[in-house]
Amino acid sequence: MKRSILLSTASIAAAFAAPAFAAPADSGDATQLDEVVVTATRLPAIVADTPGARVIDGKTIEQRGAIFAADILADVPGLSVTRTGAFGGVAQVRMRGAGPGKTLVLVDGAPVNDAAEPNGAYDFSSFELADIERIEVLSGPQSSLWGSDAIGGVIAFTTREIDGLRAEAEAGSFSTVRGRVSAGVANDTYAFNAYVSRFQTDGISAADKANGNPEADGFRSTTLGAKGRYALSDAVKVDGAVRWNKSKADIDGFPAPTYALADTNDTQNSEQWSGYGRVTAQAFGLNHQFSVSASDLDRTSYSGGFGSTFSGDRQAYRWQADGKTQDVDYAFGVERNEASAALSSGRSRDLSITSVFGVAKYDVGALNLTGGLRYDDTDHFGSKTTGRVSAAYALSGGFILSGAYGTGFKAPTVSQAVCDYCYAPLPWPELKPETADSVEVALGWASADGRFDGRATLYRLNVEDQITYSAGRYINVAKTRSDGFELEGRALLGGGFDLTLAYAWTDAEDRTTGARLLRVPEHAGSATLGWTGDRLSGALTVRAEGDQDDSGGFSTVVRKGFVTANLNAAYALTDSVTLTARIENLADEHYQQVFGYGEPGRSGYVGIKLRY
């Protein structure tokens, strides 16, 4: 089987995902699927040998016509994507039933979770994919590698390195206009590129129009970025990147006297940036990586003429050394993570964690063993030791049996630590970190000719001491459990066609109350039929979700399931000019991702891409 070694965000983060999502190699005459490599364990590992790991490459993003991260993450089994408004509404991800604040998000190695959000969750609403080369999704507790915030898993984005000039433009339904220009130079010694992109639309009503809300809610987003590297010598290299985004979204609220979701003049403005700088050096028989990464976010919401401003920032200082003996690859390091936030109530807090970690991989013959251990010392909430072990064994007939056990923790957020908007009498309970453990087992298979592969995964994720807001204060009380089954596969069908399938069954329960967890559908799946020819290419993606429990304001309601389809096509006029077209919600289905919030009906967009 052909091997494709791809650089990843995880390796950048160290200095400081499943085969179903890797696109076919080149064209319709491709005869094998790529064997994708991920650095989920801070050491390069084949995805098929790594439980819970998946990779979405740049070709897959382009083939499916995905504009924003939320557009394609919903197709990953075990990920539940919700957004409160089709354009610019808050978009969050739940991994294997864990709350959105339990997914760590990295951009070129920089943690970008919102330190000012009550649960520390990241908002994907304005995260464009035009500059993204690769997405790694690491499901299950990853605290032994990444520390706090990674109970549910990690989503890591790597931005693209460009050699030449690229430009693209697109226009379509709802007065939507999108444009991007990027340029760069790259060779073995150095590389530098920069880009700018803009997206704007008049949108649709965030509150479902079918419920009597006709007002359209627009969205505008601008993204700038730059990336570079330079080899000072064969032994010393430097690299870095920066990414900036500013957006404004019209949103709807809950006006008096009914306090039900309805058209309002509310808006939300946000500005965020992230970046990293790294030095890589070879010394004393080891490869050393020293990095500094940072992110900053400011957001202001306006409702009823009043503004609420939140700001948060994070910094990570990392050193890692890795080496190799005859049969063992290993890495170890030290890092310091600092986070601070200022809330609209006027409260603020600084929270920091100092950590040491180590990981080793033993690979001999048909057996692959990986183990990791990490010690995190928080400045305010004590210390935690977490670990993860995984194993993969190559059976006969193309089968691979793998499994993993891992533990995780999540320190209280700034909002929870200062008890923002708490009204209960003092003293408030002393919070402690949430903890988790998970076990999973997977059986993968690949055909001898390399044209078919797939994987089935069973898992259980337990979360203890979950922090919840109850009776006017934050307390450690909730216990949750997610049992799940994930199935995925891909095939090269011949004649230029390829097929990707993904399905997830998730039984996520609040063990304190016995109720299902909100906004986690029990059944979800997708199927993508792609075609690649000499000039014409395209993909039809059908996605379905079953019913899910949701919040109806003061009670639990059921958001009905749905089936929707998107069609994307591209035609290469020349090697440098490509025309694009896409249709979203092909069958004009009326559906909601979040109860009460509308999604667009059938909509179309046409565009052009230039590459020199």
Side-chain angles (χ1 to χ4, degrees), residues 99 119 202 234 250 323 354 556:
N119 297 301
D202 289 347
D234 291 341
D250 299 329
T354 302
T556 299

Side-chain angles (χ1 to χ4, degrees), residues 90-110:
V90 175
Q92 295 181 334
V93 171
R94 290 165 171 80
M95 299 183 70
R96 293 184 171 177
K102 296 176 178 62
T103 296
L104 178 64
V105 181
L106 305 169
V107 178
D108 282 330

